[in-house]
Amino acid sequence: MAAMAAGALRRGSGYAGGGFRCSSRLLAQSLRRFASTLVVAEHEGGFVKPSSLSALAAAEAIAKENKISVLLGGSGPALHKAADHAASSHPLVSEVLIADSEALAHPLAEPWAELLHSVQQKGGYSHVIASSTSFGKNMLPRAAALLDVSPVTDVTAIKEPRVFVRPIYAGNALCTVKYTGEDPCMMSIRSTSFSPTAEAMSETKVAPITQVDLSFLSEGITGKSTWVNLTSQDTERPDLANARVVVTGGRGLKSAENFKLLEQLAEKLGAAVGATRAAVDAGYVPNDLQVGQTGKIVAPELYMAFAVSGAIQHLAGMRDSKVIVAVNKDADAPIFQVADYGLVADLFEVLDELLKKIPDKK
């Protein structure tokens, strides 16, 4: 490929600048032609998670003729059901690789990084993509170290097979970066920036499912960390990262008891509940509800912020929301600079009126 680029440079327009542009175009075209992507997917309840479906959309953005392999790990019937879902989830999926082992049943970085290292060595993929979830952020750097490459994180747009856009300075600026290292080009993507495909799949177009050789797994790999437990709250509200409507509260709510008012509003709207870091640090809600640079990145159709001042760390996690509504008694709060609709008022009075006038969700 390097020889191809050099030949293109010699056949350029006769001067270095034109030849370089010509070679860059040819190199990008050849990268698209030979692109093969491995998507490390997450699954739950027998289905591929929406964040991983967004990773498939990112793989499509690399090249329309891209050959995409999906890697799933875990154990039991849920894994195989999720593999069936993955096999018919996107027209470009050429194969689904499943690693059936108890060592991979939980998102521990050590066994997953070794799995990705082994699959990459056998498959020789040009790109490896994972979502910027807690699992992806935990696993990808370790796997990249094993492969001796540098990952590109938090990608929000793909301009060329190796040219990406990612946020910097807490989302206040966007940086275009070019990956110049060896294969594979490893990246994590913001799922909110890539919409899963809406293209209907034919019943006959189902990718083959293949078992991964797990002979490399050993006690030395899986014994470095152990899974303790998973605690979660039983709720009918949607997942915060994928909700269409998010209702978020800040420190101005003053107590965990007052946060229940937001929960009542969320139930009426069928929304997820979020919180600022200040509210989490104050102990009003658990940290899994935190929205922001050090929390979850959300981009719902409607984002309602109550007593949220609008610190840049929080804005980094929700500025891509389609419609932002802010309620704050401080008219100079930074949140109003990004809000589509702003109301300077006492949040408790506003919540009381909303709870009275919005009917219960049926």
Side-chain angles (χ1 to χ4, degrees):
M1 192 173 292
M4 183 187 303
L9 182 59
R10 288 193 295 270
R11 293 190 299 271
S13 60
Y15 62 93
F20 179 75
R21 286 195 295 272
C22 180
S23 67
S24 296
R25 286 196 298 271
L26 287 176
L27 183 58
Q29 290 171 2
S30 61
L31 283 172
R32 289 191 181 96
R33 188 161 58 248
F34 297 111
S36 60
T37 301
L38 177 66
V39 173
V40 185
E42 302 173 63
H43 62 94
E44 185 177 31
F47 294 94
V48 178
K49 287 188 175 182
S51 59
S52 294
L53 296 178
S54 294
L56 289 174
E60 182 181 11
I62 292 173
K64 291 293 184 181
E65 60 273 21
N66 192 359
K67 293 182 179 180
I68 302 174
S69 299
V70 179
L71 176 62
L72 291 168
S75 63
L79 171 63
H80 296 274
K81 184 179 177 182
D84 292 334
H85 180 212
S88 59
S89 60
H90 197 285
L92 293 182
V93 173
S94 59
E95 66 173 340
V96 177
L97 305 174
I98 60 172
D100 194 341
S101 171
E102 284 293 334
L104 301 165
H106 303 297
L108 297 176
E110 290 85 359
W112 271 95
E114 291 289 347
L115 170 65
L116 184 51
H117 178 253
S118 175
V119 171
Q120 169 60 28
Q121 285 189 320
K122 293 178 181 178
Y125 299 97
S126 64
H127 294 74
V128 175
I129 300 178
S131 296
S132 290
T133 58
S134 57
F135 168 71
K137 292 176 181 178
N138 188 34
M139 174 273 300
L140 201 67
R142 188 179 185 92
L146 292 176
L147 292 166
D148 196 25
V149 298
S150 178
V152 183
T153 59
D154 242 8
V155 170
T156 59
I158 297 173
K159 290 190 171 184
E160 293 181 10
R162 295 200 172 196
V163 179
F164 314 105
V165 178
R166 63 182 302 273
I168 58 175
Y169 302 128
N172 285 308
L174 295 176
C175 178
T176 299
V177 298
K178 182 176 182 180
Y179 178 76
T180 59
E182 299 293 328
D183 284 346
C185 174
M186 301 184 73
M187 72 182 90
S188 63
I189 60 103
R190 278 197 181 182
S191 58
T192 55
S193 299
F194 297 90
S195 300
T197 181
E199 183 178 343
M201 292 282 294
S202 65
E203 294 183 2
T204 57
K205 194 172 183 179
V206 178
I209 300 174
T210 307
Q211 295 274 356
V212 176
D213 179 14
L214 299 178
S215 58
F216 64 90
L217 285 178
S218 65
E219 184 64 31
I221 293 174
T222 60
K224 294 179 181 177
S225 62
T226 57
W227 179 264
V228 180
N229 60 21
L230 171 67
T231 57
S232 61
Q233 294 180 331
D234 293 330
T235 177
E236 296 182 357
R237 290 194 296 271
D239 177 64
L240 177 58
N242 303 306
R244 293 176 59 251
V245 181
V246 174
V247 179
T248 295
R251 184 164 43 192
L253 279 160
K254 300 179 180 179
S255 70
E257 189 67 26
N258 288 336
F259 243 91
K260 293 180 180 179
L261 296 173
L262 279 190
E263 294 175 358
Q264 293 175 28
L265 179 61
E267 289 175 2
K268 285 176 174 284
L269 296 174
V273 174
T276 63
R277 178 170 181 172
V280 170
D281 289 346
Y284 300 162
V285 289
N287 61 5
D288 60 324
L289 299 185
Q290 182 176 325
V291 174
Q293 185 179 15
T294 54
K296 293 184 178 178
I297 308 296
V298 300
E301 295 179 14
L302 174 62
Y303 188 86
M304 303 182 71
F306 292 87
V308 174
S309 63
I312 59 173
Q313 290 84 358
H314 181 77
L315 297 182
M318 47 67 71
R319 64 167 62 246
D320 292 331
S321 303
K322 306 301 183 293
V323 177
I324 300 173
V325 178
V327 178
N328 200 303
K329 64 181 181 180
D330 181 7
D332 297 323
I335 189 69
F336 289 125
Q337 296 178 13
V338 299
D340 297 285
Y341 301 94
L343 179 60
V344 180
D346 182 88
L347 72 94
F348 296 106
E349 294 178 2
V350 174
L351 281 174
D352 185 57
E353 288 295 319
L354 288 173
L355 290 174
K356 287 179 181 178
K357 295 182 178 179
I358 297 177
D360 292 335
K361 184 183 177 184
K362 295 182 180 180

